[in-house]
Amino acid sequence: MSPLVIDNATARRLWIERNGLATSPDATRSLDAAERVVVDLGMVQLDPIRTVARAHEHILWSRCGRARPPTFERLIETRRVFEHFSHDAVILPMALWPYWQRQRLRRAGTHERGAWGQAMPPASVKRQLLRRIERDGPLCSRDVNARGEDRTAAWSKPPHKIALDGLWLDGTLAVSHRRGFLKHYDLAERVIPTELLETRIDDPAQIDHLCRAALTRLGVATPRELQRFWAAMTMPEVRDWIEACRAELIEVRLEMADGRGIPALAPHDIEARLSALPEPGTRLRVINPFDPLVRDRDRLARLFAFDFRIEIYVPPARRRYGYYVYPLLEGTRFVGRAELRADRATGRLDIPGLWWEPGVRDSSGRRTRLSAELARFARLAGVADVAPLPPGER
């Protein structure tokens, strides 16, 4: 039997729908709506850069239009999410905690083998930190006296910070809240609900849950994409899961933007999901560089023929575009990218650069849609004005 063929236009619609961007953002201002975003996406990446808004604030706002920066902090404080490490630092639905045990063990093991090329602090440092937190409550790295510590390398971390990270990664500590994006750690039993903390799930069941959850959120996926989604399983573990669940999976042929077809896997109800896809809208959206829609740059290039790399670590003279550049999504097509900066001193959203993709018209209608989106985005940043759109470059 020939595999189901999913044409490229449908594959794009499915991926956008799976990322919660096929319809207008939720208009309610509630923690329930923001929590649903995290649950539906699986996780939301954290990043401190705030040229306009931090990545997690922007990602939540893109799906929940009235979310504002404190929403993220409230999600943590009300124990709706927990913070840990996937491909990077992320917030995850609290219900995932028992299934994240293997990742805590994996990440803690990597950390113990050497953090940032530095020697691990002695066990006494961890014991001292735990005693202090148990006695005094949540602690951030700035609360610890770090005088006399060697900071000869710009990227080095003091021993107490390495110890805090290790205790957080292995699940002994959890992030209780953040202030000014600074993590505050507390004992996990004072943060994670008791019923979740005490739930024990064997490792094969954890892998099964994570693979199924990844496939649901990806819609269709190659084995490598399944493995990369959570970054919590090895490729052999993913392949073993596929073989064990082969009867429940549908083999499909996924059409790429260049017309090539690649083999992929889908949930058993994929045809029903495809038939229920909403029609793509015409809204032009500013997408965060760390948004799950664009995080897997290889998948992005294959499905959308959109070559995107963030250049924050590229020397200015070697940047092709700019420091912090946002992809522009219109319907099911990436039409360009823009460099944006919120100047809070002047109360204006500046636009240092605007680039259209090949074949995209720099039309008045497209500029009107972009201006409307930038006006909405400016409100998230807390600025009132938007600079005039510059001429679009190619």
Side-chain angles (χ1 to χ4, degrees):
M1 182 176 174
S2 299
L4 172 69
V5 175
I6 302 178
D7 64 79
N8 183 247
T10 303
R12 292 186 187 201
R13 288 172 59 200
L14 176 63
W15 184 223
I16 291 169
E17 184 271 337
R18 290 287 78 200
N19 279 282
L21 295 171
T23 55
S24 297
D26 191 312
T28 60
R29 188 194 293 261
S30 72
L31 284 180
D32 287 346
E35 182 184 9
R36 281 196 300 272
V37 171
V38 182
V39 171
D40 290 346
L41 294 178
M43 59 189 164
V44 170
Q45 183 167 336
L46 307 178
D47 194 81
I49 297 174
R50 190 170 171 253
T51 56
V52 179
R54 292 188 173 102
H56 44 282
E57 299 163 355
H58 185 181
I59 293 167
L60 290 174
W61 171 84
S62 293
R63 285 102 174 146
C64 191
R66 299 185 67 189
R68 291 297 180 264
T71 302
F72 156 69
E73 295 176 354
R74 292 288 294 146
L75 285 172
I76 294 178
E77 291 167 3
T78 56
R79 311 305 187 228
R80 295 166 182 260
V81 302
F82 70 94
E83 185 174 330
H84 208 257
F85 213 93
S86 172
H87 55 285
D88 210 316
V90 294
I91 53 172
L92 303 115
M94 185 60 78
L96 195 67
W97 177 268
Y99 299 96
W100 206 247
Q101 174 64 21
R102 70 182 335 266
Q103 183 70 337
R104 291 192 290 274
L105 293 172
R106 292 173 77 242
R107 281 293 177 182
T110 301
H111 185 269
E112 290 295 337
R113 290 193 293 274
W116 301 279
Q118 297 173 253
M120 295 301 298
S124 60
V125 174
K126 287 186 176 182
R127 289 195 297 269
Q128 291 167 7
L129 287 169
L130 286 173
R131 282 198 296 267
R132 180 169 173 182
I133 292 171
E134 184 175 14
R135 181 187 70 234
D136 300 335
L139 179 77
C140 74
S141 59
R142 290 181 185 173
D143 294 329
V144 182
N145 188 341
R147 287 179 296 178
E149 292 173 339
D150 182 14
R151 298 299 304 275
T152 54
W155 57 85
S156 67
K157 291 194 174 190
H160 75 271
K161 179 65 171 92
I162 296 173
L164 281 172
D165 281 346
L167 290 165
W168 166 60
L169 288 171
D170 72 15
T172 304
L173 299 179
V175 176
S176 64
H177 62 283
R178 278 184 180 257
R179 290 292 181 269
F181 202 62
L182 189 65
K183 289 199 293 270
H184 288 68
Y185 304 88
D186 201 352
L187 301 178
E189 59 261 34
R190 299 201 292 227
V191 176
I192 308 302
T194 302
E195 64 273 18
L196 296 177
L197 198 66
E198 295 180 350
T199 297
R200 295 292 179 263
I201 298 173
D202 64 32
D203 194 56
Q206 291 180 51
I207 293 174
D208 181 68
H209 180 90
L210 292 172
C211 284
R212 291 176 188 275
L215 187 56
T216 295
R217 287 163 177 83
L218 289 163
V220 293
T222 65
R224 175 59 67 184
E225 288 170 341
L226 277 177
Q227 188 275 328
R228 291 171 68 172
F229 185 84
W230 300 110
M233 293 90 69
T234 65
M235 274 307 302
E237 287 171 334
V238 170
R239 291 193 188 100
D240 287 346
W241 176 82
I242 290 171
E243 286 307 311
C245 299
R246 180 84 51 188
E248 302 175 55
L249 304 175
I250 301 294
E251 293 185 1
V252 301
R253 192 82 177 165
L254 196 60
E255 185 184 26
M256 301 292 97
D258 62 5
R260 290 181 301 114
I262 65 168
L265 299 166
H268 65 90
D269 60 349
I270 183 61
E271 292 186 86
R273 295 187 186 201
L274 295 178
S275 65
L277 287 176
E279 289 299 318
T282 59
R283 177 169 176 164
L284 199 154
R285 294 177 179 268
V286 175
I287 302 296
N288 190 272
F290 297 106
D291 194 287
L293 183 72
V294 300
R295 187 185 74 224
D296 187 335
R297 311 298 195 210
D298 293 338
R299 183 178 174 96
L300 177 68
R302 290 198 303 268
L303 284 181
F304 295 90
F306 186 64
D307 182 17
F308 180 72
R309 299 290 184 273
I310 193 163
E311 298 181 288
I312 54 178
Y313 301 115
V314 177
R318 293 173 53 194
R319 287 176 190 149
R320 183 178 178 186
Y321 298 105
Y323 172 72
Y324 204 85
V325 173
Y326 296 80
L328 304 178
L329 177 70
E330 185 179 50
T332 62
R333 179 187 185 192
F334 284 95
V335 295
R337 59 197 87 199
E339 184 176 14
L340 306 171
R341 296 174 190 161
D343 187 336
R344 291 173 175 85
T346 62
R348 188 175 75 167
L349 182 68
D350 290 328
I351 313 164
L354 173 63
W355 299 266
W356 300 113
E357 286 294 284
V360 173
R361 288 184 59 227
D362 189 358
S363 65
S364 59
R366 186 162 280 127
R367 282 179 166 266
T368 297
R369 289 190 289 277
L370 177 56
S371 295
E373 179 73 353
L374 293 179
R376 291 186 286 264
F377 197 28
R379 290 195 288 273
L380 174 65
V383 297
D385 298 324
V386 179
L389 290 179
E393 302 177 44
R394 297 289 178 182

